[in-house]
Amino acid sequence: MALTNDPNWWRTATVYQVYPRSFADSDGDGLGDLNGITSRIDYLQALGVDAVWLSPFYPSALADGGYDVDDYRAVDPRLGTLEDFDRLVAALHGAGMRVIVDIVPNHAGSGHVWFQEALAAPKGSPARDRFIFMDGLPANSMDNAVRPPSDWANAFGGSVWEPVGDGQFYLHLFAKEQPDFNWSNREVRDEFLKTLRFWSDRGVDAFRVDVAMALAKDLTAQPLPSTAELDAQGSGPHHPFTDRDEVHEIFSEWRELFNSYDPPRAAVGEVWVDDPARRALYARPSELGQAFNFDLLQADWSAEAFRQVVASNLALAAASGSSSTWVFSNHDVVRAASRLALPGAGGGNANNLRDAAWLRSGGTEPVIDRAVGLARARAAALFMLALPGSAYLYQGEELGLPEVLEIPPDQRQDPAFHRTGGQLVGRDGSRVPLPWEPTGPSFGFGAGPAHLPQPSWFADFAASAQAGVAGSTLEFYRSALRLREALRADESLTWCADLDSPDALGFARGNGWRCYINFGTRALQLPAGQVLVSSAPAPGPDLGSLEPDTAVWLDA
Ligand code: GLC
């Protein structure tokens, strides 16, 4: 299947996220690599995805799973070479799939040559100006130590400020190995334009932009606002580092570069902001084109919550000239097949990130009913795949993989775990290398043990054990993705009220197909029509009924 020059391919694409270190290991060192991905292209093609998003594969000390990039225009030697990358791109293109790479512009890895230069350079030097260095506050008389410029905490626990020994501190919104760039510095902007051009010239079709809302910063206030003040105020134009208006100048400049290619390079921003209307600004055609909408993955398991998320995001996408993005899983959240079964605080069916955090906290071990989780994850997937816009799948989601809870502390890698003394369990449980086969030292991932331990129950989820098996999660995804082709023609959605239950949702697409989903606890009678695909793990006795935690597509 040859790729077309369609400049709008991304609007309705099904994108598959590969976390390279945990996808497939071609050389047996325990880490997944680029050749491993190339060796699994048939699998991706048979799954029926349109594009593959590669999480970072750049040289990195792995302080944050590769999101600490030491060199933006190279491949981590443990993962391969630039030639391997070119071969992977050619093979994906040859198989009809586009390639999206992750770009991490908010911060470097601390091994980046510019950061090393900054550390060696004096205060006030041009080398330090590429990052955000500030003087500490005067020593307090108690212990005579210079104090950090503010009380802000980083995303993984502890301060955002790291002292460098000469009275100055540098800013890191994430781990201390991830120093924030100074985007007011023209050299930083030019360097990233060079990087975007480098990968675009190598045939990359699109970019996923990490932490897009935090690039523009203004830390000139004296004194800097406190955390309490920032929390009260929320993200937006007056926040020192989240969602400032100047960030849009950066992405407008990127868009000019993207549009100099044919077809234009696409982009999707990771944008965590309080106001969804401000998130839509990043998705304007004059900027990134799309921004991740994480609302579904944070929604409670209820018809009303899902309906509101869909309606508001379709409206926002239309208003900004974008198309919506839908996400249930990625490398940062608890896998949907576990998250969707978490007992809620009040109602018994909440699935939001607060519960997910509780799951990760290791505090009270929640009882996770795997059957419920899988049924809901499959229903949610079928619902998502019927929506207008593009759908983002995360590796292993198509196998129904649950979160791995049983990782021993000394084998955990996530800085969130280590920086909070284990209070947050972190994200490793969703990053355990995939099971390809039911046997072998790493279930077909590679020739040796994997870099994160795989539990024995991974055998039950192996891709090869599901391929060709009617009713398996893999075959379910394959059927849904094949059928989804027919939904591309237009981006319209009309709600249907014919299920007559507040616990169910139904909508029709432009070609007359309908999708119904039942969030309730009793079976509902389906309207007339032929069931094209059902999310039920085992077909129910009566195809005319919609069981709890199930979704179906009906024909026109
Ligand atoms: C994004 C990534 C996450 C990473 C963080 C810092 O949120 O998805 O994995 O830890 O940025 O780069």
Side-chain angles (χ1 to χ4, degrees):
M1 196 198 326
L3 287 178
T4 66
N5 247 17
D6 178 8
N8 286 314
W9 63 268
W10 49 272
R11 293 187 73 92
T12 56
T14 311
V15 180
Y16 184 93
Q17 181 189 358
V18 166
Y19 190 74
R21 290 176 180 81
S22 298
F23 188 68
D25 170 18
S26 72
D27 58 9
D29 67 354
L31 272 188
D33 46 43
L34 297 185
N35 288 339
I37 305 169
T38 308
S39 75
R40 297 290 180 182
I41 284 181
D42 290 354
Y43 173 85
L44 297 170
Q45 194 176 28
L47 182 58
V49 296
D50 305 303
V52 173
W53 150 28
L54 304 171
S55 276
F57 49 81
Y58 316 111
S60 165
L62 298 187
D64 181 22
Y67 284 88
D68 46 322
V69 179
D70 286 344
D71 181 350
Y72 288 85
R73 298 190 288 273
V75 173
D76 188 322
R78 290 165 293 187
L79 271 65
T81 62
L82 275 174
E83 290 67 42
D84 295 334
F85 179 82
D86 292 342
R87 262 197 305 277
L88 171 58
V89 171
L92 281 167
H93 283 170
M97 287 173 273
R98 316 262 174 182
V99 182
I100 304 175
V101 300
D102 219 311
I103 206 83
V104 189
N106 181 65
H107 43 265
S110 52
H112 192 284
V113 57
W114 276 7
F115 188 64
Q116 289 304 316
E117 277 173 32
L119 288 180
K123 179 178 158 175
S125 58
R128 284 209 176 170
D129 190 57
R130 294 167 178 150
F131 297 89
I132 302 181
F133 281 81
M134 280 184 81
D135 289 339
L137 299 178
N140 104 23
S141 54
M142 299 287 285
D143 56 8
N144 211 27
V146 182
R147 291 174 297 136
S150 69
D151 70 345
W152 306 340
N154 78 64
F156 302 135
S159 171
V160 299
W161 297 106
E162 185 68 13
V164 293
D166 59 5
Q168 287 217 302
F169 291 71
Y170 68 85
L171 180 82
H172 57 92
L173 295 183
F174 294 88
K176 72 175 191 312
E177 297 83 358
Q178 294 168 294
D180 281 48
F181 279 115
N182 171 14
W183 275 87
S184 306
N185 181 312
R186 187 64 240 178
E187 247 189 305
V188 169
R189 295 193 182 206
D190 289 341
E191 183 68 8
F192 271 90
L193 292 174
K194 192 169 165 189
T195 296
L196 295 171
R197 218 172 276 121
F198 178 86
W199 295 109
S200 298
D201 288 346
R202 291 194 109 86
V204 158
D205 303 279
F207 297 89
R208 178 263 186 192
V209 184
D210 193 64
V211 196
M213 69 289 174
L215 271 47
K217 298 187 174 80
D218 182 348
L219 304 194
T220 52
Q222 287 288 338
L224 289 171
S226 66
T227 299
E229 285 165 335
L230 292 185
D231 288 350
Q233 163 198 323
S235 66
H238 305 297
H239 194 284
F241 56 82
T242 307
D243 195 28
R244 296 187 60 80
D245 289 336
E246 307 91 271
V247 77
H248 298 292
E249 294 161 18
I250 299 169
F251 297 132
S252 302
E253 201 173 29
W254 287 22
R255 174 48 58 188
E256 274 178 38
L257 182 149
F258 295 154
N259 285 355
S260 68
Y261 288 86
D262 179 26
R265 298 321 188 217
V268 55
E270 185 204 27
V271 180
W272 292 96
V273 297
D274 294 337
D275 177 359
R278 286 188 62 88
R279 181 176 70 214
L281 300 176
Y282 297 76
R284 289 178 288 193
S286 55
E287 296 191 28
L288 296 176
Q290 270 193 332
F292 278 125
N293 138 33
F294 295 119
D295 299 348
L296 266 189
L297 77 75
Q298 298 181 88
D300 280 347
W301 185 248
S302 86
E304 187 45 25
F306 273 49
R307 197 195 59 74
Q308 274 187 17
V309 164
V310 170
S312 64
N313 279 287
L314 290 180
L316 281 175
S320 65
S322 181
S323 72
S324 196
T325 58
W326 306 108
V327 186
F328 272 111
S329 288
N330 63 33
H331 64 298
D332 288 330
V333 300
V334 173
R335 282 191 176 278
S338 297
R339 196 182 70 235
L340 291 170
L342 283 171
N349 59 1
N351 68 328
N352 56 32
L353 292 187
R354 189 193 64 243
D355 297 302
W358 174 54
L359 164 66
R360 284 183 161 142
S361 78
T364 324
E365 185 98 332
V367 180
I368 295 180
D369 184 328
R370 283 236 183 112
V372 170
L374 183 61
R376 288 183 179 174
R378 288 172 57 143
L382 200 57
F383 178 83
M384 163 171 88
L385 293 172
L387 292 171
S390 57
Y392 285 78
L393 308 178
Y394 175 54
Q395 66 179 39
E397 178 177 340
E398 78 283 12
L399 303 175
L401 261 195
E403 182 87 355
V404 179
L405 302 173
E406 55 272 56
I407 304 175
D410 61 344
Q411 292 188 52
R412 290 207 171 260
Q413 299 175 5
D414 192 339
F417 176 80
H418 295 290
R419 291 188 67 101
T420 61
Q423 258 191 342
L424 287 176
V425 174
R427 301 159 294 179
D428 297 318
S430 60
R431 300 173 176 183
V432 175
L434 289 190
W436 293 95
E437 310 282 340
T439 55
S442 51
F443 300 102
F445 167 69
H451 69 98
L452 277 168
Q454 300 158 302
S456 57
W457 51 261
F458 255 35
D460 304 340
F461 292 87
S464 71
Q466 297 195 35
V469 177
S472 72
T473 303
L474 179 57
E475 290 302 334
F476 158 70
Y477 268 85
R478 287 177 174 172
S479 319
L481 288 174
R482 236 185 340 264
L483 286 166
R484 185 174 141 85
E485 278 300 313
L487 294 173
R488 282 188 202 280
D490 82 337
E491 292 180 16
S492 72
L493 173 150
T494 316
W495 295 106
C496 310
D498 43 4
L499 278 189
D500 193 27
S501 160
D503 292 329
L505 283 181
F507 61 83
R509 293 294 307 277
N511 66 352
W513 286 15
R514 289 151 296 159
C515 173
Y516 292 96
I517 182 166
N518 184 358
F519 297 88
T521 51
R522 66 181 175 90
L524 300 169
Q525 186 61 40
L526 276 174
Q530 192 202 328
V531 175
L532 296 166
V533 57
S534 161
S535 70
D542 174 8
L543 278 180
S545 84
L546 184 64
E547 300 297 315
D549 296 334
T550 303
V552 295
W553 291 359
L554 294 189
D555 71 359

